[in-house]
C-alpha cells in the first residue's frame, strides 16, 4: 500500500523514476533545497581541511624517513610515488564526476587511489565550486529517465481506427 497524503487518497510521492542520492547530499541536488548550498560549502571546507591534514601526516612520515637515514633515493622515490598517485587519483576522480567508471577498472585502481587519496580530496574540493560532485552526471541520467518515462506514459489522443492509411 502506498503512502497517501490524506487528500482524496492521492499518492504522496511522484510516479516514475526517482533521483539517485549523492554521497553527502542525498537528493537535495535535484532542486537545490534543504541545505544544498551549506552542504557544498561544508564539503569544500572539509575536503580541503582533510587534504591539508593528510599532507601534514605525509610530511611527518617523510621526516621519519629522514631520521631513519635510509638515503635520498628512497626519500625521492616516496615523494614521486605520492605525487604520481595523487595526480592519477585526481584525474580518475574528476573523470568519475562526468561518466560512470568501469567497475573492473575501479577495482584494479583501488590501491593506487588509496595511496593518492590527497588527489581525490582535492578533486572533491575543486568540483564543489561548480556543483555537487557527480551532480551533472546524475542530473543527465535522471532527466533522461524522466523523459523516457513521460514518453511511455503519455496517452494517445483520437481514435486509431480513423487513422489514415498510407498508400
Amino acid at each position: 500500500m502506498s503512502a497517501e497524503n490524506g487528500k482524496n487518497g492521492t499518492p504522496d510521492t511522484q510516479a516514475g523514476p526517482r533521483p539517485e542520492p549523492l554521497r553527502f547530499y542525498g537528493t537535495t541536488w535535484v532542486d537545490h533545497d534543504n541545505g544544498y548550498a551549506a552542504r557544498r560549502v561544508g564539503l569544500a571546507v572539509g575536503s580541503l581541511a582533510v587534504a591539508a591534514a593528510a599532507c601534514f601526516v605525509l610530511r611527518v612520515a617523510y621526516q621519519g624517513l629522514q631520521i631513519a637515514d635510509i638515503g635520498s633515493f628512497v626519500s625521492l622515490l616516496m615523494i614521486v610515488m605520492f605525487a604520481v598517485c595523487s595526480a592519477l587519483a585526481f584525474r580518475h576522480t574528476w573523470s568519475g564526476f562526468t561518466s560512470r567508471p568501469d567497475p573492473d577498472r575501479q577495482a584494479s585502481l583501488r590501491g593506487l587511489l588509496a595511496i593518492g587519496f590527497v588527489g581525490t580530496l582535492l578533486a572533491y574540493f575543486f568540483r564543489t565550486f561548480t556543483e555537487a560532485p557527480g551532480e551533472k552526471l546524475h542530473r543527465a541520467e535522471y532527466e533522461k529517465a524522466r523523459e523516457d518515462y513521460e514518453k511511455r506514459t503519455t496517452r494517445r489522443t483520437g481514435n486509431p481506427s480513423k487513422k489514415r492509411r498510407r498508400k
Side-chain angles (χ1 to χ4, degrees):
M1 182 180 244
S2 64
E4 295 180 359
N5 65 6
K7 297 178 185 171
N8 301 326
T10 57
D12 200 15
T13 59
Q14 66 179 350
R18 304 222 189 314
E20 185 178 343
L22 288 175
R23 181 181 295 159
F24 304 118
Y25 292 93
T27 57
T28 61
W29 61 269
V30 176
D31 297 321
H32 294 185
D33 58 353
N34 296 334
Y36 171 82
R39 290 177 192 210
R40 272 185 56 189
V41 169
L43 185 59
V45 170
S47 61
L48 186 62
V50 172
C55 288
F56 177 74
V57 170
L58 290 176
R59 181 172 183 249
V60 169
Y62 178 75
Q63 287 175 341
L65 290 176
Q66 283 184 326
I67 291 170
D69 196 28
I70 58 171
S72 60
F73 177 72
V74 175
S75 297
L76 179 66
L77 194 61
M78 187 188 107
I79 291 170
V80 169
M81 176 195 65
F82 274 105
V84 168
C85 288
S86 290
L88 290 173
F90 181 93
R91 178 68 185 128
H92 179 76
T93 303
W94 191 265
S95 67
F97 295 143
T98 56
S99 65
R100 295 268 180 192
D102 178 34
D104 295 332
R105 185 169 184 263
Q106 185 81 9
S108 67
L109 290 176
R110 189 167 290 135
L112 180 125
L113 295 174
I115 294 170
F117 63 97
V118 174
T120 299
L121 292 168
L122 291 176
Y124 268 87
F125 171 72
F126 288 118
R127 192 56 169 210
T128 55
F129 288 120
T130 57
E131 66 174 6
E135 178 182 344
K136 187 176 185 179
L137 172 66
H138 284 76
R139 187 171 300 284
E141 291 174 350
Y142 177 61
E143 287 175 359
K144 175 81 170 107
R146 292 290 307 168
E147 182 181 302
D148 291 346
Y149 176 77
E150 292 298 323
K151 283 181 184 177
R152 286 192 313 267
T153 58
T154 53
R155 304 280 186 238
R156 288 192 315 201
T157 58
N159 187 348
S161 66
K162 292 183 179 179
K163 184 177 173 183
R164 287 186 175 163
R165 303 279 182 202
R166 290 187 181 173
K167 294 181 182 182

